[in-house]
């Protein structure tokens, strides 16, 4: 039995308030614990989005009643909430800025709308950017101009990881995360070969898009530039994914650790690196407290197939259905109490703590 510290996932879409048919604070924290994740940072693109004191309270009230693991909630940057967001910073995980289009209403196109946030948001709390390709180059320039840390969400392209590497070498305060799906799922041939129905176009829709094998290889070749692994757990129901207008996003909380442990077994990654990118670096970047008496027990030798039917997420599917993996979470202890054991979530609703209180 292998003992790991509790994992921190800095990029989770909880869906509450507003879209609890996809997920809520109860199911998402069950999925987290089942995946060996003991702390989640929740994204603000809910309905309504979390962007001021009253919407922050709305999310935190639900979380307080329902969360089974520890958490903090991001604020979203809007066109005119820079003062409010800066004032609320100590109560939030950080500020999320959507600079490219994706699921939800929060998007800042015009760079003049970025400026007040970069000026006002306190430098000891992170600004997380959804910024792809050339938008990412602009975001990194902003980090340099305003001399403040930024964290780039879900890096997926070779040009992106190389740009971040170069910026780090010049001392720009930039960190980044990569999602398992961008490490393990290259974009499929288009159109899909016959028989690929279960992994159809709608199910494979995600932002950033799945990239080429060359991009995937570049991420693996630059593991030292990647600060964190984050799931971007973005649950949508199967009916929604298989509809004519599929929303982008994959669930990921329950497959993160098994996929990474399989990579460790294949010697593509070291266990030290896994702990660095799933615990130590996110704690440092997002200024998070240690969780005392918290650990995950893993059976490294257990081989099995990923099955949506075994998952706790409400969305009911996984892009990794049928994948053969090695490494199973047996037990999770959170702040001295057994929170998950042998397939059962034992932490009750409300046990989770807001780490920004
Ligand atoms: C996310 C979602 O569904 O909220 N979707 C996604 O494809 N990643 C939004 C996002 O993180 O961009
Ligand atoms: Zn996301």
């Amino acid at each position: 039995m292998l003992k790991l510290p509790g994992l921190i996932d800095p990029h989770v879409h909880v869906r509450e308030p507003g879209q609890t048919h996809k997920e809520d604070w109860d199911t998402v924290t069950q999925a987290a614990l089942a995946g060996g994740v003991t702390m989640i940072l929740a994204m603000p693109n809910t309905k309504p989005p979390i962007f001021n004191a009253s919407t922050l309270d709305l999310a935190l009230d639900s979380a307080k009643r329902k969360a089974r693991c520890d958490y903090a909630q991001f604020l979203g940057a809007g066109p005119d909430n820079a003062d409010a967001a800066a004032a609320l910073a100590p109560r939030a995980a950080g500020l999320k800025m959507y600079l490219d289009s994706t699921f939800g209403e929060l998007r800042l196109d015009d760079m003049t709308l970025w400026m007040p946030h970069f000026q006002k948001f306190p430098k000891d709390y992170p600004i997380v950017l959804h910024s792809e390709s050339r938008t990412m180059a602009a975001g990194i320039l902003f980090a340099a101009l305003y001399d403040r840390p930024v964290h780039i969400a879900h890096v997926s392209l070779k040009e992106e990881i190389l740009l971040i590497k170069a910026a780090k070498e010049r001392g720009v305060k930039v960190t980044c995360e990569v999602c398992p799906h961008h490490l393990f799922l290259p974009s499929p041939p288009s159109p899909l070969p016959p028989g690929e129905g279960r992994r159809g176009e709608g199910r494979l829709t995600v932002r950033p898009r799945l990239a080429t094998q060359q991009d995937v290889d570049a991420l693996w070749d630059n593991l030292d530039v990647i600060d964190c692994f984050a799931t971007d757990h973005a649950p949508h129901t199967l009916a929604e994914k298989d509809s004519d207008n599929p929303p982008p996003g994959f669930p990921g909380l329950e497959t993160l650790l098994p996929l990474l442990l399989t990579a460790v077994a294949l010697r593509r990654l070291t266990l030290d690196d896994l702990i660095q990118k799933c615990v130590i670096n996110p704690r440092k970047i997002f200024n998070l407290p240690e969780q005392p008496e918290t650990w995950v027990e893993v059976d490294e030798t257990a081989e099995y197939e990923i099955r949506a039917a075994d998952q706790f997420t409400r969305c009911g599917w996984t892009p990794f259905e049928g994948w053969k993996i090695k490494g199973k979470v047996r037990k999770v202890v959170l702040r001295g109490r057994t929170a998950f054991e042998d397939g059962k979530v034992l932490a009750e609703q409300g046990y989770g703590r807001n780490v920004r209180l």
Side-chain angles (χ1 to χ4, degrees), residues 11-13 43 45 96 98 102 130 153-154 207 232-234:
H11 194 144
V12 175
H13 296 273
M43 285 295 154
N45 65 334
K96 177 73 183 285
Y98 288 92
T102 186
H130 179 141
H154 40 50
R207 294 288 173 277
D232 193 7
H233 179 84

Side-chain angles (χ1 to χ4, degrees), residues 119-179:
Q119 270 155 12
K120 292 174 180 171
F121 203 71
K123 288 187 183 180
D124 42 350
Y125 294 90
I127 293 184
V128 177
L129 304 183
H130 179 141
S131 60
E132 301 177 35
S133 188
R134 295 175 190 193
T135 314
M136 179 182 298
I140 290 174
L141 176 65
F142 266 64
L145 292 178
Y146 289 86
D147 188 29
R148 67 149 299 136
V150 299
H151 178 78
I152 310 283
H154 40 50
V155 171
S156 65
L157 301 176
K158 179 175 182 175
E159 63 177 20
E160 294 171 347
I161 199 71
L162 294 181
L163 180 69
I164 292 168
K165 181 178 178 177
K168 285 184 172 188
E169 284 164 3
R170 294 296 180 98
V172 179
K173 297 184 177 92
V174 57
T175 56
C176 71
E177 69 191 30
V178 169
C179 306

